Amino acid sequence: MALKLLETADYTEMSRRAADIIIKEVKEKPNAVLGLATGSTVLGVYRELAADHRQHGTSYRHVRTVNLDEYVGLGPDHPNSYRYYMNHHLFTHLDIPLHETHVPDGLAADLDEECRRYERLIDELGGIDLQLLGIGRNGHIGFNEPGTPFSSPTHVVKLAPLTREANARFFPSLDDVPRYAITMGIATILRSRRIVLLASGEEKAEAIARLLEGVVTPDLPASALHLHPDVTIIADCEALSLIPKEKRKGDAP
């Protein structure tokens, strides 16, 4: 299936366009299930959602959320856990009940059972209406590293060195970056009814160029998105810098 590509001038416009899609989804379906991501790429989106809630009163009272991933070994109060990130950057700025926001439990005694529980949870919620994604420099989505089967459900993953290096800026040192994480699998992500992938900056340009080439391979996990019928990529001009300008409009191959 063709991917829809939206080019933006910069990070701010990318964030605003993505937030507009989420706000529209919530207004049209007040009990929507949102799949959420973490990291620096989506921070601007969450700032836009919080500002819209303050200024326009968009309500998240009946929304349910499920996050893509969590580090193994970090509890919800750890400042580098994704539960902490979500509470700090988004949930406490909205009227969403915290018990309706879900993140994998990185401290679960039985990690395999936690993965199965998370899959059941998503099914019990009725599936994900809109999944927000970033993309790693090596093309990972969630923490699905290159080589991950497209049939994978939620699972425990050993993080690639490039991924740990990219996240080291959030930790005191590289040694402090967890080596494992729980992540929604590629199959889990592809069951979402709609997917929005964001990319910003020159460091994402190579991954986006490979994605838009249209070759579907586990070596580039994001290429699985070509198998989904409703994917929108919102990328700024720096992230699209390796794509010829005549190919930046409309649908990708």
Side-chain angles (χ1 to χ4, degrees):
M1 304 296 292
L3 308 180
K4 183 178 181 183
L5 177 63
L6 300 178
E7 179 180 3
T8 65
D10 52 27
Y11 178 84
T12 299
E13 185 188 355
M14 178 202 73
S15 301
R16 187 170 60 249
R17 294 284 292 272
D20 287 345
I21 291 172
I22 294 171
I23 291 165
K24 184 173 185 288
E25 178 75 26
V26 170
K27 287 182 174 179
E28 291 179 353
K29 186 176 181 181
N31 66 339
V33 177
L34 302 178
L36 300 178
T38 52
S40 56
T41 301
V42 296
L43 276 176
V45 180
Y46 296 158
R47 285 194 291 266
E48 292 283 345
L49 295 179
D52 169 75
H53 176 68
R54 286 194 308 272
Q55 296 166 12
H56 305 294
T58 302
S59 179
Y60 296 78
R61 196 171 299 125
H62 302 294
V63 166
R64 289 78 49 77
T65 69
V66 286
N67 261 72
L68 278 168
D69 40 35
E70 179 60 284
Y71 289 117
V72 169
L74 299 191
D77 295 327
H78 192 289
N80 284 315
S81 75
Y82 288 152
R83 164 54 78 179
Y84 186 97
Y85 171 108
M86 293 305 305
N87 288 351
H88 179 73
H89 291 295
L90 184 63
F91 297 150
T92 58
H93 303 283
L94 306 176
D95 61 344
I96 189 169
L98 276 181
H99 71 271
E100 296 287 9
T101 65
H102 305 281
V103 180
D105 181 2
L107 295 180
D110 185 334
L111 293 174
D112 289 336
E113 175 54 33
E114 172 61 12
C115 293
R116 291 189 290 270
R117 182 197 70 82
Y118 209 64
E119 285 284 317
R120 291 194 301 270
L121 168 69
I122 294 170
D123 288 342
E124 290 164 2
L125 292 174
I128 298 167
D129 292 301
L130 174 62
Q131 176 67 59
L132 185 65
L133 296 176
I135 185 170
R137 288 182 292 169
N138 62 1
H140 73 240
I141 50 176
F143 272 137
N144 293 285
E145 300 286 13
T148 303
F150 291 169
S151 59
S152 60
T154 299
H155 62 285
V156 177
V157 61
K158 183 176 183 179
L159 300 179
L162 188 64
T163 299
R164 294 184 67 245
E165 290 167 12
N167 290 338
R169 66 189 186 276
F170 302 116
F171 291 82
S173 72
L174 179 60
D175 286 341
D176 292 302
V177 181
R179 286 169 167 75
Y180 294 89
I182 298 173
T183 183
M184 281 189 204
I186 293 175
T188 316
I189 292 169
L190 291 180
R191 286 201 302 273
S192 305
R193 283 179 272 281
R194 185 180 186 189
I195 297 173
V196 175
L197 181 142
L198 308 182
S200 175
E202 290 182 354
E203 68 273 13
K204 300 298 177 69
E206 183 176 351
I208 288 295
R210 291 179 64 200
L211 171 59
L212 295 181
E213 285 174 359
V215 178
V216 177
T217 169
D219 292 337
L220 186 75
S223 69
L225 299 179
H226 286 282
L227 306 175
H228 192 281
D230 192 350
V231 177
T232 300
I233 299 171
I234 308 176
D236 63 21
C237 57
E238 289 187 352
L240 293 171
S241 59
L242 298 180
I243 307 296
K245 289 190 176 181
E246 64 271 15
K247 294 185 179 181
R248 296 188 193 178
K249 301 296 182 182
D251 294 339

